[in-house]
Amino acid sequence: METVKILHIDSNHNLLWEQLEQAGFQNEADYTSSKELIETKIQNYQGIVIRSRFAIDKTFLDKASNLKFIARVGAGLESIDCEYANSKNIHLIAAPEGNRNAVGEHAIGILLSLMNKLNRADKLVREGKWIREGNRGFELEGKTVGIVGYGNMGKSFAKKLKGFDVEVLCYDILPNVGDENATQVSLKELQANADVLSLHIPWTPETDKLVNYDFINAFNKPFWFINTSRGKNVVTDDLVAALQSGKILGAGLDVLEYEKLSFENLFIATEKPKAFDYLLQAENVLLTPHIAGWTFESHEKLAQVTVDKIIKLYG
């Protein structure tokens, strides 16, 4: 195999580096330089391995004159100008297979916690308040769960719902993606029947601010809402209004509109947005810091999927 130099700009599981080296690739790392500094040397590499440290935009791609592939050790490619990369015949690699199980399990955990008020009950007990009636929960059995986005993550969630005796409906822009775990329906039908809504979609121009006032109020029934996809798919102000009105019974949010592109921090102005402040105080809201796919097991699986796809590309 010709010498293929790969620049790693984010740290990952050691197996990724080791297996690429064993396969004959030449690895180099730069976890600290700015995007601008990396742009001064990116022409020396045929491949780059990233997570989400900075955007791979047109400027970057124009300087990457010898780049043959970009591998993102994660599910989405929204930090990459995919259309421009494709126009330069740069192969794009993502690894949604690596953390789909983790996301599915996390979504189940959030949903059960919300419906059974576990976070509220735990907090009250720690405060010395033994309140049973005020923490009476709801059972998942007999409910209809709607999944918007039926790819790797949506399918994983649906598979894990099989033991709960629920009806699972899915909506996706692609046809014929339903399976034995979920019936594919129109968005209108999903909104007419769902007691639970779980988002498993990428962040694209089509999905940006998808969950807004009109989308929420198109549901026939009040519903529980889970988002383990991307924060910018939801208009937080409209979500909070629905929580206040009772249209949304509870929300489990692993992602927030206020996240930075790197997902490593929240971008919060000096004064917190009112909607975010409400989420922090609400007892029927469960917040996690973008960790649905962030398990010890997925750390290894993501690396393995990525290295397998790189090696296959040159196989």
Side-chain angles (χ1 to χ4, degrees):
M1 187 180 75
E2 60 177 305
T3 300
V4 177
K5 292 178 66 177
I6 302 174
L7 179 64
H8 300 248
I9 65 168
D10 292 288
S11 61
N12 288 290
H13 195 283
N14 290 339
L15 74 81
L16 195 154
W17 184 287
E18 292 167 0
Q19 290 187 22
L20 286 174
E21 199 170 67
Q22 290 165 9
F25 294 89
Q26 184 177 332
N27 294 311
E28 292 184 18
D30 188 338
Y31 303 149
T32 58
S33 291
S34 67
K35 174 176 177 285
E36 290 72 24
L37 279 175
I38 288 181
E39 285 173 350
T40 66
K41 62 179 179 180
I42 192 60
Q43 75 277 2
N44 298 321
Y45 301 93
Q46 288 75 48
I48 186 169
V49 176
I50 67 170
R51 287 208 315 263
S52 302
R53 187 152 68 89
F54 53 71
I56 306 296
D57 56 15
K58 185 176 180 181
T59 301
F60 187 96
L61 293 169
D62 279 338
K63 294 181 183 297
S65 53
N66 292 303
L67 206 60
K68 298 294 187 289
F69 73 86
I70 302 169
R72 178 164 186 268
V73 188
L77 295 171
E78 67 268 32
S79 62
I80 302 169
D81 187 333
C82 296
E83 185 177 349
Y84 195 61
N86 287 329
S87 75
K88 288 179 165 289
N89 296 314
I90 297 172
H91 192 82
L92 301 178
I93 294 171
E97 304 90 341
N99 62 355
R100 61 189 174 190
N101 183 72
V103 171
E105 289 189 8
H106 193 92
I108 289 286
I110 285 181
L111 180 57
L112 293 177
S113 182
L114 278 178
M115 295 182 71
N116 291 282
K117 303 180 182 177
L118 298 186
N119 53 325
R120 178 180 187 272
D122 175 79
K123 178 175 177 289
L124 291 173
V125 171
R126 291 172 189 274
E127 293 173 354
K129 301 171 183 175
W130 193 259
I131 299 171
R132 298 185 68 217
E133 185 57 37
N135 287 305
R136 191 185 288 272
F138 294 87
E139 295 180 22
L140 190 50
E141 184 180 27
K143 303 290 192 298
T144 298
V145 178
I147 299 174
V148 172
Y150 205 60
N152 280 282
M153 310 305 170
K155 288 179 184 292
S156 175
F157 181 51
K159 182 179 179 181
K160 289 163 178 51
L161 286 166
K162 285 191 72 172
F164 288 96
D165 294 322
V166 295
E167 180 180 10
V168 182
L169 306 177
C170 68
Y171 168 75
D172 197 282
I173 59 172
L174 298 177
N176 305 315
V177 297
D179 56 19
E180 68 276 11
N181 299 322
T183 302
Q184 186 168 6
V185 297
S186 67
L187 181 59
K188 185 175 181 180
E189 185 175 344
L190 186 149
Q191 290 171 316
N193 293 284
D195 301 290
V196 174
L197 169 64
S198 188
L199 287 192
H200 297 279
I201 52 178
W203 180 49
T204 68
E206 292 72 33
T207 63
D208 183 57
K209 299 179 175 60
L210 173 71
V211 180
N212 58 18
Y213 177 87
D214 291 336
F215 181 94
I216 293 167
N217 286 287
F219 281 76
N220 282 5
K221 298 182 278 187
F223 61 96
W224 285 272
F225 176 62
I226 308 295
N227 187 13
T228 56
S229 64
R230 292 293 185 261
K232 289 180 173 58
N233 291 330
V234 178
V235 179
T236 311
D237 287 346
D238 294 350
L239 169 65
V240 165
L243 285 163
Q244 291 171 325
S245 71
K247 184 69 178 186
I248 292 181
L249 301 168
L253 308 174
D254 182 55
V255 290
L256 290 169
E257 182 181 355
Y258 315 109
E259 283 182 85
K260 288 186 176 180
L261 180 64
S262 68
F263 308 135
E264 297 296 329
N265 301 98
L266 285 178
F267 175 74
I268 299 296
T270 306
E271 187 174 332
K272 287 197 298 286
K274 287 184 179 179
F276 183 47
D277 200 47
Y278 178 88
L279 294 178
L280 293 177
Q281 304 300 322
E283 291 185 325
N284 61 339
V285 173
L286 186 59
L287 303 171
T288 52
H290 204 133
I291 56 169
W294 202 255
T295 63
F296 289 100
E297 291 83 358
S298 71
H299 184 48
E300 182 173 346
K301 290 178 190 175
L302 284 165
Q304 189 64 63
V305 169
T306 303
V307 74
D308 288 346
K309 289 185 177 182
I310 294 173
I311 290 173
K312 184 179 180 181
L313 184 62
Y314 286 87

